[in-house]
Amino acid sequence: MGMTMMERTDVMVAAVGRGGIEKYLTAGQADLLGQIMQPKKAKAGMTLFMEGEQAGQLYYIRSGRVQLRKSTEDGKELILSIQQNGDIIGEFSGLGGEEYTYTAEIVEAGELGVIRVKDLEQLLVQHGDLAVQFMKWMGTNQRIQQSRFRDLLLYGKTGALASTLIRASNSCGVKVPGGIMINMKLNHTVLAEMVGATRESVNRMLSSLKEQGTMDVLDGKLVIRDMEELRSMCGCPTYGRCPQEICRL
């Protein structure tokens, strides 16, 4: 049994302002998508799926946060992204027989909408307008990953860290006196796994940023004091034109 009309509306409204698929959908299209969702509670620490498992479901994040991780052959962990309200995670290409290419772990408790791939395929066949918007959303996700890899390859670990902090401020930043506080727990270990560096390297880079006055810590959370300095560290070639749905975690 799918979600009620009120639940479906809540799902799509919850993520307004931070990105996510709802930016691409009309109210009617959002309602159609909501009709094929099954509600699911998500507890912190829960693993939704593992890399290599058969991919038969997608997950719409109604609330909470989900960390997407990938393991290397030598056992290292890389955080691909941290998804939140309005995002859909899983594998979907329309080819069938897919496997999850990453592991999804709940890092902040919330609620999900579970979408069976077969139900989504049928819905997109029946509603071409929704299919077009869904493709646009998938294209945006691809651009997000490409831009993250660009920053890592072109500007090294320091540029990747600066880029990650900027993206985090766009995803969950809160204005505070003299800066922008990243309203998410981003410790040195998490940041290291997001930029492919060691914890010690990230610690040194953050200490340097604090000494320069570029970064600060308020109530245990990172605060960006000098956004322009961070932008200069990662090239930020499209500042002023880069949409937030691309420059995000």
Side-chain angles (χ1 to χ4, degrees), residues 164-198:
T164 298
L165 294 172
I166 294 171
R167 292 171 188 278
S169 72
N170 288 335
S171 298
C172 56
V174 177
K175 289 186 178 181
V176 295
I180 300 175
M181 182 175 69
I182 298 174
N183 194 27
M184 178 192 300
K185 186 177 180 180
L186 287 177
N187 58 37
H188 294 185
T189 300
V190 171
L191 286 171
E193 291 182 353
M194 294 188 78
V195 302
T198 64

PDB file of all heavy atoms in Angstrom, residues 164-198:
ATOM      1  N   THR A 164      34.786  20.582  -0.927  1.00  0.00           N
ATOM      2  CA  THR A 164      33.846  19.854  -0.074  1.00  0.00           C
ATOM      3  C   THR A 164      33.199  20.779   0.945  1.00  0.00           C
ATOM      4  O   THR A 164      31.994  20.690   1.208  1.00  0.00           O
ATOM      5  CB  THR A 164      34.572  18.700   0.648  1.00  0.00           C
ATOM      6  OG1 THR A 164      35.087  17.787  -0.332  1.00  0.00           O
ATOM      7  CG2 THR A 164      33.625  17.958   1.580  1.00  0.00           C
ATOM      8  N   LEU A 165      33.978  21.678   1.513  1.00  0.00           N
ATOM      9  CA  LEU A 165      33.438  22.621   2.497  1.00  0.00           C
ATOM     10  C   LEU A 165      32.439  23.576   1.850  1.00  0.00           C
ATOM     11  O   LEU A 165      31.392  23.900   2.429  1.00  0.00           O
ATOM     12  CB  LEU A 165      34.579  23.400   3.153  1.00  0.00           C
ATOM     13  CG  LEU A 165      35.532  22.567   4.017  1.00  0.00           C
ATOM     14  CD1 LEU A 165      36.726  23.411   4.457  1.00  0.00           C
ATOM     15  CD2 LEU A 165      34.804  21.998   5.234  1.00  0.00           C
ATOM     16  N   ILE A 166      32.750  24.027   0.630  1.00  0.00           N
ATOM     17  CA  ILE A 166      31.815  24.906  -0.085  1.00  0.00           C
ATOM     18  C   ILE A 166      30.518  24.166  -0.385  1.00  0.00           C
ATOM     19  O   ILE A 166      29.409  24.690  -0.190  1.00  0.00           O
ATOM     20  CB  ILE A 166      32.451  25.419  -1.390  1.00  0.00           C
ATOM     21  CG1 ILE A 166      33.642  26.326  -1.088  1.00  0.00           C
ATOM     22  CG2 ILE A 166      31.410  26.180  -2.229  1.00  0.00           C
ATOM     23  CD1 ILE A 166      34.450  26.707  -2.308  1.00  0.00           C
ATOM     24  N   ARG A 167      30.642  22.931  -0.852  1.00  0.00           N
ATOM     25  CA  ARG A 167      29.463  22.123  -1.170  1.00  0.00           C
ATOM     26  C   ARG A 167      28.624  21.864   0.081  1.00  0.00           C
ATOM     27  O   ARG A 167      27.398  21.899   0.045  1.00  0.00           O
ATOM     28  CB  ARG A 167      29.894  20.803  -1.804  1.00  0.00           C
ATOM     29  CG  ARG A 167      30.515  20.958  -3.174  1.00  0.00           C
ATOM     30  CD  ARG A 167      31.121  19.649  -3.671  1.00  0.00           C
ATOM     31  NE  ARG A 167      31.870  19.857  -4.898  1.00  0.00           N
ATOM     32  CZ  ARG A 167      31.311  19.915  -6.104  1.00  0.00           C
ATOM     33  NH1 ARG A 167      30.017  19.732  -6.236  1.00  0.00           N
ATOM     34  NH2 ARG A 167      32.056  20.132  -7.179  1.00  0.00           N
ATOM     35  N   ALA A 168      29.304  21.607   1.195  1.00  0.00           N
ATOM     36  CA  ALA A 168      28.589  21.375   2.452  1.00  0.00           C
ATOM     37  C   ALA A 168      27.827  22.627   2.887  1.00  0.00           C
ATOM     38  O   ALA A 168      26.708  22.540   3.403  1.00  0.00           O
ATOM     39  CB  ALA A 168      29.572  20.945   3.541  1.00  0.00           C
ATOM     40  N   SER A 169      28.413  23.800   2.650  1.00  0.00           N
ATOM     41  CA  SER A 169      27.734  25.045   3.024  1.00  0.00           C
ATOM     42  C   SER A 169      26.486  25.261   2.166  1.00  0.00           C
ATOM     43  O   SER A 169      25.486  25.803   2.636  1.00  0.00           O
ATOM     44  CB  SER A 169      28.681  26.240   2.888  1.00  0.00           C
ATOM     45  OG  SER A 169      28.932  26.560   1.519  1.00  0.00           O
ATOM     46  N   ASN A 170      26.532  24.822   0.901  1.00  0.00           N
ATOM     47  CA  ASN A 170      25.361  24.934   0.037  1.00  0.00           C
ATOM     48  C   ASN A 170      24.294  23.908   0.406  1.00  0.00           C
ATOM     49  O   ASN A 170      23.095  24.160   0.236  1.00  0.00           O
ATOM     50  CB  ASN A 170      25.756  24.738  -1.426  1.00  0.00           C
ATOM     51  CG  ASN A 170      26.520  25.917  -1.987  1.00  0.00           C
ATOM     52  OD1 ASN A 170      26.380  27.039  -1.510  1.00  0.00           O
ATOM     53  ND2 ASN A 170      27.343  25.674  -2.989  1.00  0.00           N
ATOM     54  N   SER A 171      24.723  22.750   0.896  1.00  0.00           N
ATOM     55  CA  SER A 171      23.790  21.673   1.220  1.00  0.00           C
ATOM     56  C   SER A 171      23.122  21.864   2.574  1.00  0.00           C
ATOM     57  O   SER A 171      21.943  21.557   2.731  1.00  0.00           O
ATOM     58  CB  SER A 171      24.516  20.317   1.210  1.00  0.00           C
ATOM     59  OG  SER A 171      25.037  20.033  -0.064  1.00  0.00           O
ATOM     60  N   CYS A 172      23.876  22.357   3.542  1.00  0.00           N
ATOM     61  CA  CYS A 172      23.293  22.468   4.887  1.00  0.00           C
ATOM     62  C   CYS A 172      23.884  23.649   5.658  1.00  0.00           C
ATOM     63  O   CYS A 172      24.039  23.580   6.880  1.00  0.00           O
ATOM     64  CB  CYS A 172      23.498  21.171   5.663  1.00  0.00           C
ATOM     65  SG  CYS A 172      25.218  20.647   5.781  1.00  0.00           S
ATOM     66  N   GLY A 173      24.233  24.715   4.950  1.00  0.00           N
ATOM     67  CA  GLY A 173      24.799  25.889   5.602  1.00  0.00           C
ATOM     68  C   GLY A 173      23.753  26.753   6.282  1.00  0.00           C
ATOM     69  O   GLY A 173      22.626  26.879   5.812  1.00  0.00           O
ATOM     70  N   VAL A 174      24.145  27.326   7.418  1.00  0.00           N
ATOM     71  CA  VAL A 174      23.287  28.243   8.171  1.00  0.00           C
ATOM     72  C   VAL A 174      24.075  29.523   8.429  1.00  0.00           C
ATOM     73  O   VAL A 174      25.207  29.471   8.919  1.00  0.00           O
ATOM     74  CB  VAL A 174      22.856  27.624   9.517  1.00  0.00           C
ATOM     75  CG1 VAL A 174      22.026  28.621  10.313  1.00  0.00           C
ATOM     76  CG2 VAL A 174      22.072  26.340   9.288  1.00  0.00           C
ATOM     77  N   LYS A 175      23.498  30.658   8.094  1.00  0.00           N
ATOM     78  CA  LYS A 175      24.186  31.924   8.314  1.00  0.00           C
ATOM     79  C   LYS A 175      24.311  32.223   9.807  1.00  0.00           C
ATOM     80  O   LYS A 175      23.351  32.117  10.561  1.00  0.00           O
ATOM     81  CB  LYS A 175      23.441  33.066   7.615  1.00  0.00           C
ATOM     82  CG  LYS A 175      23.556  33.035   6.099  1.00  0.00           C
ATOM     83  CD  LYS A 175      22.912  34.267   5.479  1.00  0.00           C
ATOM     84  CE  LYS A 175      23.071  34.254   3.957  1.00  0.00           C
ATOM     85  NZ  LYS A 175      22.465  35.459   3.337  1.00  0.00           N
ATOM     86  N   VAL A 176      25.527  32.580  10.209  1.00  0.00           N
ATOM     87  CA  VAL A 176      25.805  33.008  11.575  1.00  0.00           C
ATOM     88  C   VAL A 176      26.601  34.307  11.471  1.00  0.00           C
ATOM     89  O   VAL A 176      27.112  34.632  10.395  1.00  0.00           O
ATOM     90  CB  VAL A 176      26.614  31.936  12.350  1.00  0.00           C
ATOM     91  CG1 VAL A 176      25.802  30.669  12.529  1.00  0.00           C
ATOM     92  CG2 VAL A 176      27.939  31.635  11.660  1.00  0.00           C
ATOM     93  N   PRO A 177      26.698  35.069  12.548  1.00  0.00           N
ATOM     94  CA  PRO A 177      27.466  36.313  12.483  1.00  0.00           C
ATOM     95  C   PRO A 177      28.890  36.080  11.978  1.00  0.00           C
ATOM     96  O   PRO A 177      29.650  35.316  12.547  1.00  0.00           O
ATOM     97  CB  PRO A 177      27.468  36.802  13.944  1.00  0.00           C
ATOM     98  CG  PRO A 177      26.195  36.252  14.504  1.00  0.00           C
ATOM     99  CD  PRO A 177      26.042  34.906  13.862  1.00  0.00           C
ATOM    100  N   GLY A 178      29.217  36.712  10.868  1.00  0.00           N
ATOM    101  CA  GLY A 178      30.568  36.636  10.328  1.00  0.00           C
ATOM    102  C   GLY A 178      30.887  35.389   9.542  1.00  0.00           C
ATOM    103  O   GLY A 178      32.061  35.126   9.250  1.00  0.00           O
ATOM    104  N   GLY A 179      29.875  34.630   9.154  1.00  0.00           N
ATOM    105  CA  GLY A 179      30.190  33.445   8.376  1.00  0.00           C
ATOM    106  C   GLY A 179      29.005  32.522   8.130  1.00  0.00           C
ATOM    107  O   GLY A 179      27.849  32.898   8.346  1.00  0.00           O
ATOM    108  N   ILE A 180      29.309  31.300   7.682  1.00  0.00           N
ATOM    109  CA  ILE A 180      28.311  30.278   7.405  1.00  0.00           C
ATOM    110  C   ILE A 180      28.690  29.018   8.157  1.00  0.00           C
ATOM    111  O   ILE A 180      29.777  28.476   7.961  1.00  0.00           O
ATOM    112  CB  ILE A 180      28.217  29.960   5.895  1.00  0.00           C
ATOM    113  CG1 ILE A 180      27.836  31.214   5.112  1.00  0.00           C
ATOM    114  CG2 ILE A 180      27.201  28.842   5.645  1.00  0.00           C
ATOM    115  CD1 ILE A 180      27.838  30.993   3.604  1.00  0.00           C
ATOM    116  N   MET A 181      27.800  28.562   9.031  1.00  0.00           N
ATOM    117  CA  MET A 181      28.049  27.351   9.806  1.00  0.00           C
ATOM    118  C   MET A 181      27.519  26.142   9.043  1.00  0.00           C
ATOM    119  O   MET A 181      26.394  26.159   8.535  1.00  0.00           O
ATOM    120  CB  MET A 181      27.368  27.428  11.176  1.00  0.00           C
ATOM    121  CG  MET A 181      27.629  26.202  12.050  1.00  0.00           C
ATOM    122  SD  MET A 181      26.928  26.366  13.713  1.00  0.00           S
ATOM    123  CE  MET A 181      25.168  26.293  13.323  1.00  0.00           C
ATOM    124  N   ILE A 182      28.344  25.101   8.950  1.00  0.00           N
ATOM    125  CA  ILE A 182      27.931  23.858   8.308  1.00  0.00           C
ATOM    126  C   ILE A 182      27.166  23.035   9.335  1.00  0.00           C
ATOM    127  O   ILE A 182      27.758  22.490  10.276  1.00  0.00           O
ATOM    128  CB  ILE A 182      29.148  23.078   7.769  1.00  0.00           C
ATOM    129  CG1 ILE A 182      29.867  23.924   6.707  1.00  0.00           C
ATOM    130  CG2 ILE A 182      28.718  21.745   7.184  1.00  0.00           C
ATOM    131  CD1 ILE A 182      31.159  23.318   6.214  1.00  0.00           C
ATOM    132  N   ASN A 183      25.854  22.966   9.171  1.00  0.00           N
ATOM    133  CA  ASN A 183      24.989  22.337  10.157  1.00  0.00           C
ATOM    134  C   ASN A 183      24.919  20.821   9.953  1.00  0.00           C
ATOM    135  O   ASN A 183      23.859  20.241   9.732  1.00  0.00           O
ATOM    136  CB  ASN A 183      23.584  22.949  10.075  1.00  0.00           C
ATOM    137  CG  ASN A 183      22.739  22.585  11.278  1.00  0.00           C
ATOM    138  OD1 ASN A 183      23.265  22.324  12.359  1.00  0.00           O
ATOM    139  ND2 ASN A 183      21.430  22.569  11.096  1.00  0.00           N
ATOM    140  N   MET A 184      26.082  20.209  10.012  1.00  0.00           N
ATOM    141  CA  MET A 184      26.210  18.764   9.837  1.00  0.00           C
ATOM    142  C   MET A 184      27.497  18.335  10.540  1.00  0.00           C
ATOM    143  O   MET A 184      28.476  19.078  10.559  1.00  0.00           O
ATOM    144  CB  MET A 184      26.296  18.403   8.345  1.00  0.00           C
ATOM    145  CG  MET A 184      26.473  16.924   8.060  1.00  0.00           C
ATOM    146  SD  MET A 184      26.912  16.594   6.318  1.00  0.00           S
ATOM    147  CE  MET A 184      25.512  17.275   5.448  1.00  0.00           C
ATOM    148  N   LYS A 185      27.462  17.147  11.126  1.00  0.00           N
ATOM    149  CA  LYS A 185      28.655  16.658  11.797  1.00  0.00           C
ATOM    150  C   LYS A 185      29.660  16.185  10.770  1.00  0.00           C
ATOM    151  O   LYS A 185      29.487  15.143  10.152  1.00  0.00           O
ATOM    152  CB  LYS A 185      28.296  15.518  12.753  1.00  0.00           C
ATOM    153  CG  LYS A 185      29.470  15.053  13.603  1.00  0.00           C
ATOM    154  CD  LYS A 185      29.060  13.974  14.583  1.00  0.00           C
ATOM    155  CE  LYS A 185      30.240  13.526  15.425  1.00  0.00           C
ATOM    156  NZ  LYS A 185      29.856  12.461  16.392  1.00  0.00           N
ATOM    157  N   LEU A 186      30.717  16.961  10.571  1.00  0.00           N
ATOM    158  CA  LEU A 186      31.781  16.619   9.632  1.00  0.00           C
ATOM    159  C   LEU A 186      33.099  16.577  10.401  1.00  0.00           C
ATOM    160  O   LEU A 186      33.810  17.574  10.494  1.00  0.00           O
ATOM    161  CB  LEU A 186      31.865  17.640   8.494  1.00  0.00           C
ATOM    162  CG  LEU A 186      30.760  17.617   7.437  1.00  0.00           C
ATOM    163  CD1 LEU A 186      30.983  18.739   6.436  1.00  0.00           C
ATOM    164  CD2 LEU A 186      30.722  16.268   6.723  1.00  0.00           C
ATOM    165  N   ASN A 187      33.408  15.421  10.981  1.00  0.00           N
ATOM    166  CA  ASN A 187      34.678  15.320  11.697  1.00  0.00           C
ATOM    167  C   ASN A 187      35.819  15.061  10.716  1.00  0.00           C
ATOM    168  O   ASN A 187      35.609  14.908   9.517  1.00  0.00           O
ATOM    169  CB  ASN A 187      34.613  14.231  12.781  1.00  0.00           C
ATOM    170  CG  ASN A 187      34.258  12.868  12.215  1.00  0.00           C
ATOM    171  OD1 ASN A 187      34.691  12.503  11.119  1.00  0.00           O
ATOM    172  ND2 ASN A 187      33.468  12.094  12.953  1.00  0.00           N
ATOM    173  N   HIS A 188      37.015  15.004  11.241  1.00  0.00           N
ATOM    174  CA  HIS A 188      38.195  14.875  10.384  1.00  0.00           C
ATOM    175  C   HIS A 188      38.201  13.559   9.621  1.00  0.00           C
ATOM    176  O   HIS A 188      38.657  13.493   8.475  1.00  0.00           O
ATOM    177  CB  HIS A 188      39.465  15.010  11.227  1.00  0.00           C
ATOM    178  CG  HIS A 188      39.635  16.382  11.816  1.00  0.00           C
ATOM    179  ND1 HIS A 188      40.743  16.772  12.532  1.00  0.00           N
ATOM    180  CD2 HIS A 188      38.831  17.472  11.771  1.00  0.00           C
ATOM    181  CE1 HIS A 188      40.615  18.031  12.910  1.00  0.00           C
ATOM    182  NE2 HIS A 188      39.454  18.473  12.470  1.00  0.00           N
ATOM    183  N   THR A 189      37.682  12.507  10.245  1.00  0.00           N
ATOM    184  CA  THR A 189      37.647  11.207   9.581  1.00  0.00           C
ATOM    185  C   THR A 189      36.716  11.223   8.382  1.00  0.00           C
ATOM    186  O   THR A 189      37.049  10.726   7.298  1.00  0.00           O
ATOM    187  CB  THR A 189      37.210  10.105  10.568  1.00  0.00           C
ATOM    188  OG1 THR A 189      38.137  10.047  11.657  1.00  0.00           O
ATOM    189  CG2 THR A 189      37.148   8.751   9.882  1.00  0.00           C
ATOM    190  N   VAL A 190      35.531  11.809   8.554  1.00  0.00           N
ATOM    191  CA  VAL A 190      34.559  11.897   7.461  1.00  0.00           C
ATOM    192  C   VAL A 190      35.120  12.732   6.322  1.00  0.00           C
ATOM    193  O   VAL A 190      35.044  12.349   5.144  1.00  0.00           O
ATOM    194  CB  VAL A 190      33.234  12.492   7.961  1.00  0.00           C
ATOM    195  CG1 VAL A 190      32.295  12.799   6.786  1.00  0.00           C
ATOM    196  CG2 VAL A 190      32.548  11.527   8.926  1.00  0.00           C
ATOM    197  N   LEU A 191      35.697  13.873   6.640  1.00  0.00           N
ATOM    198  CA  LEU A 191      36.267  14.731   5.605  1.00  0.00           C
ATOM    199  C   LEU A 191      37.407  14.024   4.868  1.00  0.00           C
ATOM    200  O   LEU A 191      37.535  14.151   3.643  1.00  0.00           O
ATOM    201  CB  LEU A 191      36.777  16.036   6.226  1.00  0.00           C
ATOM    202  CG  LEU A 191      35.700  17.040   6.654  1.00  0.00           C
ATOM    203  CD1 LEU A 191      36.323  18.184   7.443  1.00  0.00           C
ATOM    204  CD2 LEU A 191      34.960  17.584   5.440  1.00  0.00           C
ATOM    205  N   ALA A 192      38.214  13.278   5.603  1.00  0.00           N
ATOM    206  CA  ALA A 192      39.323  12.556   4.984  1.00  0.00           C
ATOM    207  C   ALA A 192      38.796  11.541   3.976  1.00  0.00           C
ATOM    208  O   ALA A 192      39.348  11.393   2.873  1.00  0.00           O
ATOM    209  CB  ALA A 192      40.162  11.851   6.051  1.00  0.00           C
ATOM    210  N   GLU A 193      37.724  10.844   4.319  1.00  0.00           N
ATOM    211  CA  GLU A 193      37.167   9.840   3.415  1.00  0.00           C
ATOM    212  C   GLU A 193      36.430  10.480   2.242  1.00  0.00           C
ATOM    213  O   GLU A 193      36.234   9.849   1.201  1.00  0.00           O
ATOM    214  CB  GLU A 193      36.227   8.915   4.183  1.00  0.00           C
ATOM    215  CG  GLU A 193      36.963   8.025   5.176  1.00  0.00           C
ATOM    216  CD  GLU A 193      36.044   7.071   5.907  1.00  0.00           C
ATOM    217  OE1 GLU A 193      34.810   7.175   5.747  1.00  0.00           O
ATOM    218  OE2 GLU A 193      36.555   6.221   6.659  1.00  0.00           O
ATOM    219  N   MET A 194      36.054  11.736   2.370  1.00  0.00           N
ATOM    220  CA  MET A 194      35.384  12.427   1.270  1.00  0.00           C
ATOM    221  C   MET A 194      36.379  12.956   0.246  1.00  0.00           C
ATOM    222  O   MET A 194      36.041  13.102  -0.933  1.00  0.00           O
ATOM    223  CB  MET A 194      34.519  13.571   1.803  1.00  0.00           C
ATOM    224  CG  MET A 194      33.336  13.127   2.638  1.00  0.00           C
ATOM    225  SD  MET A 194      32.206  14.469   3.063  1.00  0.00           S
ATOM    226  CE  MET A 194      31.318  14.643   1.517  1.00  0.00           C
ATOM    227  N   VAL A 195      37.601  13.254   0.672  1.00  0.00           N
ATOM    228  CA  VAL A 195      38.585  13.839  -0.256  1.00  0.00           C
ATOM    229  C   VAL A 195      39.724  12.878  -0.575  1.00  0.00           C
ATOM    230  O   VAL A 195      40.660  13.236  -1.295  1.00  0.00           O
ATOM    231  CB  VAL A 195      39.154  15.165   0.305  1.00  0.00           C
ATOM    232  CG1 VAL A 195      38.037  16.155   0.551  1.00  0.00           C
ATOM    233  CG2 VAL A 195      39.964  14.936   1.579  1.00  0.00           C
ATOM    234  N   GLY A 196      39.665  11.643  -0.046  1.00  0.00           N
ATOM    235  CA  GLY A 196      40.697  10.664  -0.351  1.00  0.00           C
ATOM    236  C   GLY A 196      42.037  10.968   0.289  1.00  0.00           C
ATOM    237  O   GLY A 196      43.089  10.688  -0.288  1.00  0.00           O
ATOM    238  N   ALA A 197      41.999  11.551   1.502  1.00  0.00           N
ATOM    239  CA  ALA A 197      43.233  11.896   2.212  1.00  0.00           C
ATOM    240  C   ALA A 197      43.263  11.170   3.552  1.00  0.00           C
ATOM    241  O   ALA A 197      42.298  10.527   3.952  1.00  0.00           O
ATOM    242  CB  ALA A 197      43.325  13.406   2.424  1.00  0.00           C
ATOM    243  N   THR A 198      44.385  11.282   4.255  1.00  0.00           N
ATOM    244  CA  THR A 198      44.472  10.716   5.597  1.00  0.00           C
ATOM    245  C   THR A 198      43.867  11.692   6.595  1.00  0.00           C
ATOM    246  O   THR A 198      43.757  12.897   6.332  1.00  0.00           O
ATOM    247  CB  THR A 198      45.927  10.434   5.995  1.00  0.00           C
ATOM    248  OG1 THR A 198      46.648  11.681   6.066  1.00  0.00           O
ATOM    249  CG2 THR A 198      46.597   9.518   4.974  1.00  0.00           C
TER     250      THR A 198
END
